[in-house]
Amino acid sequence: MLEIKNLHARVDGQQILQGIDISIKAGEVHAIMGPNGSGKSTLAFVLAGREGYEITQGEVLFEGRNLAEMKPEERAREGIFLAFQYPVEIPGVSGMNFLKSALNVTRKYRGLSELDAIEFLKLAREKLKLLGMDEKLIQRAVNVGFSGGEKKRSEVFQMAVLEPKLAVLDETDSGLDIDALKIVANGINTLRNPDRAMLIITHYQRLLNYVIPDKVHVLAEGRIVRSGGKELALELEDKGYAMLDSADANAAA
Amino acid sequence: MTTEQTPGAPYLAQFAQVKAKLPGRRLSWLKDLRQGAIERFVSLGFPTLKIEEWKYTSLSPLTKTVFGPASQEANGRAEEGLRRFLLGEQPCHRLVFVNGRHRPDLSHVGSLPAGVTITSLAAMLEAEPELLEPHFGGEDQSDGQALVALNTAFMADGAVVKLAQGAALEAPVHLIFLATTQGGPAAHHPRNLILAEPGSSAAIFESYGGVGTESYWTNVVTQVKAGRNAAIRHYKLQCEGAEAFHIAITQADLESGSSYTSFVMSMGGRLSRNEIAARLNGTGVDCRLNGVYLARDRQHMDTSTRIEHAKPGGLSREVYKGVIDGEAHAVFHGKIVVCPDAQKTDAHQLNENLLLSERARIDTKPELEIHADDVKCSHGANAGELDSEALFYLRTRGLEEERARSLLIEAFVAEMIDGVETEAVRSNLRKFVSSWLPTVANGKGAA
């Protein structure tokens, strides 16, 4: 579903990604782990199409289509969803109307009928119930007045409503206490299915106790330095990112 | 020695031609008032950039044209042009003025509580001129005094809303001024009087619009007099034709314990200026001046307010928000004067602007003039672009860039519109905001 090939990317003139190769099939959950500054969020923004994040070499194919040629909204309609590390507060824009509009443009794009306010509310309530989340998430302006945990939950809720093919979760676990983490993890597991791929970007192994990945990649200085199964996350947890230095040292030796 | 003709001179000649046809021509006090006013206009001339309060608004596009008297010939365009301004199902008392003259056939005033009069100025000058006399000809210190004088000379009609002591009017009074003239630039000089005796209350909504693309000039003066403990809500929508000039001067005289809440939305016209002068003449007055201006293309939109705290314990709050696109130029000049006697004044002013293009321009000038020592006064002004992070966030959820922009622009002004208390007016203004947006955002509003 997603092919990242030798991806190099630059932000504000600074080369951040220096050759990344990842291939994710439908139904798979991949985790990308790495220390601060390794390029994790850059990768997330490159996938979502943020302005100023420039691909300098390599390519990203989503279902065979070159992402670089697609606007952020096209990527979304094609089925890419980014859960933001820092969801943006948008005062004055009703969360419910925003999400209804988002769902309807996607449905229209996919040739489905648009939902009216009542149908949407019904769907939203079903999803909230499924995720064990509070109705408050659709009653306010987008992310306004939400705690950090509520913002993260809201991202997972949006994902549940929009039903993307590929979900990129950028540090959705950061800043959560254990109860909130469980709710978010449960949400992600609920949304896991054979047609959907997920890319979980995280600094810590903690979330991966609840969401078991098919593959783990370790990112450092803009490169994937190791890839492996779920046990790699445990190893990292055990030894810390310092183990990468010795790995590098070994590789260099 | 001959001198070059001043821009005001043609109006003196016009006045000589039309004065015998103006309403109230048999009233000697009014004749004198008009004569004095035209002389005053000619001696003052049109305001120029040299006047501090007009520093950013050049009237040269206006003074280059000589605007003749408006034709009263019916051309059937009014009915159609009126439609979008109507308040829908909600009850209201409506006076419609077409090309400056009252049109009873398009107006509708419902049953009124005792002590409430809603009528046209021309009718009042016929029926009870003695009631009007005391309200004209007072000393005028407004920044646009020359244009007030011109209005006084030529005023032919307008609305008179009179509220007797304690009268409470439930339904809003809707005043619609529509320009439909064809065949040469015409000027209208509507004059409105809102006279609220002690303890009375009402909501007044002025709407201005034009049909077609002709150039015309609305030069309107509205006087508000709020007696002790009167409560006036005063709304205005300026949605004039694309080639129109709109100069409006509102003077509000507010007595002890009264409250005056103004909301102005400007979006039409080629060059417009909305000037409000509120004088808090008594103690404990509550004065709120709020508004939104939406400018695009090459529009010039000037908002100029002056709040004068003359007596102690007054409260004033002012928030104006502007959205400026294209090569439009907006001006906000907000002056607050606190007189020596006005201790315990609490005044706050805020002007926020959203600039949507590189060539959009705002000149914002807050001005505090404080002569009392025990007061709380503050002001703020800012200008910025749309939040790029919010824009990106919306786009990652599938919304097209233009749609996302519309949502954010609408959100910027929504809190202002939401603050409009009168429901019928609020929903009417929302509709006009939506119509202004680059794309009409789907799924917004209360749905």
Side-chain angles (χ1 to χ4, degrees), chain A residues 90-93, chain B residues 291-294 319-324 351-356 382-386 405-418 433 437:
Chain A
I90 313 182
V93 175
Chain B
V292 163
Y293 43 89
L294 308 171
V319 183
Y320 267 84
K321 282 193 173 188
V323 182
I324 308 143
N351 174 230
E352 296 191 313
N353 297 280
L354 196 50
L355 296 169
L356 298 181
N382 60 58
E385 297 168 15
L386 280 178
R405 289 171 68 89
S406 286
L407 266 179
L408 294 178
I409 296 164
E410 195 178 33
F412 178 73
V413 298
E415 64 159 6
M416 299 301 299
I417 310 284
D418 290 348
V433 170
L437 295 171

Side-chain angles (χ1 to χ4, degrees), chain B residues 213-430:
Chain B
T213 52
E214 286 83 4
S215 178
Y216 63 90
W217 175 22
T218 303
N219 181 44
V220 54
V221 174
T222 301
Q223 286 170 268
V224 179
K225 302 200 173 179
R228 277 180 169 268
N229 302 319
I232 298 297
R233 280 174 279 157
H234 191 184
Y235 310 116
K236 177 181 163 183
L237 168 67
Q238 186 275 97
C239 189
E240 301 272 25
E243 290 301 319
F245 295 88
H246 178 96
I247 312 274
I249 296 166
T250 299
Q251 298 172 336
D253 282 288
L254 313 172
E255 303 307 324
S256 292
S258 64
S259 73
Y260 177 69
T261 303
S262 155
F263 187 92
V264 178
M265 188 160 96
S266 300
M267 56 191 288
R270 172 181 171 192
L271 185 156
S272 63
R273 173 165 159 121
N274 196 69
E275 179 180 318
I276 301 176
R279 287 185 288 255
L280 285 66
N281 297 326
T283 55
V285 176
D286 184 310
C287 174
R288 289 160 203 265
L289 305 184
N290 297 319
V292 163
Y293 43 89
L294 308 171
R296 64 157 52 108
D297 302 326
R298 305 194 64 178
Q299 284 180 300
H300 181 99
M301 251 174 228
D302 179 331
T303 297
S304 194
T305 64
R306 177 189 166 93
I307 300 174
E308 187 178 321
H309 289 262
K311 288 284 185 292
L315 175 105
S316 67
R317 291 285 179 272
E318 179 172 15
V319 183
Y320 267 84
K321 282 193 173 188
V323 182
I324 308 143
D325 200 355
E327 295 172 49
H329 179 188
V331 177
F332 177 82
H333 182 195
K335 187 166 186 173
I336 298 173
V337 180
V338 181
C339 300
D341 197 19
Q343 299 295 357
K344 306 281 181 196
T345 285
D346 180 353
H348 180 67
Q349 178 195 87
L350 180 65
N351 174 230
E352 296 191 313
N353 297 280
L354 196 50
L355 296 169
L356 298 181
S357 87
E358 284 192 5
R359 303 190 66 181
R361 175 174 163 195
I362 173 72
D363 284 296
T364 177
K365 189 177 172 223
E367 203 181 338
L368 300 182
E369 194 185 302
I370 301 171
H371 305 286
D373 48 21
D374 185 14
V375 300
K376 235 163 67 182
C377 290
S378 60
H379 64 78
N382 60 58
E385 297 168 15
L386 280 178
D387 178 355
S388 63
E389 275 203 40
L391 209 52
F392 175 62
Y393 187 78
L394 294 172
R395 293 177 73 191
T396 65
R397 300 304 185 250
L399 300 182
E400 263 168 46
E401 185 174 6
E402 198 160 77
R403 176 87 166 276
R405 289 171 68 89
S406 286
L407 266 179
L408 294 178
I409 296 164
E410 195 178 33
F412 178 73
V413 298
E415 64 159 6
M416 299 301 299
I417 310 284
D418 290 348
V420 169
E421 260 181 86
T422 307
E423 210 269 297
V425 177
R426 190 170 61 236
S427 52
N428 187 256
L429 293 175
R430 274 205 190 111

Side-chain angles (χ1 to χ4, degrees), chain A residues 152 171-176 181 184 201-204 206-207:
Chain A
K152 299 298 176 83
E171 303 216 11
T172 302
D173 54 334
S174 67
L176 298 182
L181 182 74
V184 163
I201 295 172
T202 180
H203 185 91
Y204 302 103
R206 197 164 81 124
L207 178 66

